[in-house]
Amino acid sequence: MKKILYILSSAVLLIACESRTYEEISDNTPITETVRYTQDVKPVVEANCIGCHSATGSASYKPFTNYDQVKANIDGILNRIQRQNGDSQKMPQGGSLSQSQINIFIKWKADGLIEN
């Protein structure tokens, strides 16, 4: 009886295993098109950064409300959004961007920080 139970549980375990790779299941798909501020970066900033980095936010001393401000701070933004969870300097506070959102910032810088 124990042998049958062992074989049955092993079969269930093997059937439940995924055979896809990390790259296939993650959202870390390479960005092939040119990244632009207005269409790609700005929506991420507005959804995740403006709450603090605006005139009325807790980080009003470093606003990210327009292209020039985000462009001028891209190195600091990249530094903060790529930090490990648990690092007190990681942004956004209390959360994390997805790898695909982080890749948008990385590719935008690599593409020359294009506005439109």
Side-chain angles (χ1 to χ4, degrees):
M1 184 66 174
K2 286 184 180 183
K3 198 178 218 184
I4 293 172
L5 186 58
Y6 175 75
I7 292 171
L8 197 55
S9 62
S10 296
V12 169
L13 181 63
L14 287 174
I15 292 170
C17 290
E18 281 281 337
S19 62
R20 297 184 301 163
T21 64
Y22 174 77
E23 287 77 19
E24 290 173 321
I25 61 174
S26 72
D27 62 355
N28 198 8
T29 306
I31 301 170
T32 56
E33 295 183 16
T34 301
V35 174
R36 300 175 186 284
Y37 174 78
T38 302
Q39 80 180 33
D40 303 305
V41 177
K42 185 178 179 182
V44 178
V45 171
E46 288 178 344
N48 297 282
C49 310
I50 290 298
C52 295
H53 292 278
S54 65
T56 59
S58 60
S60 60
Y61 58 91
K62 189 171 283 215
F64 297 152
T65 57
N66 62 50
Y67 167 78
D68 291 325
Q69 293 167 338
V70 177
K71 178 182 174 184
N73 289 285
I74 189 60
D75 291 328
I77 292 169
L78 286 170
N79 176 293
R80 295 296 188 94
I81 64 176
Q82 294 182 87
R83 290 179 181 237
Q84 296 295 319
N85 288 334
D87 185 325
S88 64
Q89 301 289 310
K90 181 171 180 62
M91 295 291 152
Q93 288 184 342
S96 184
L97 298 180
S98 69
Q99 188 59 51
S100 64
Q101 290 172 315
I102 293 170
N103 289 347
I104 289 171
F105 286 93
I106 293 169
K107 181 82 165 51
W108 181 52
K109 182 177 179 186
D111 288 346
L113 306 168
I114 299 167
E115 184 172 7
N116 292 317

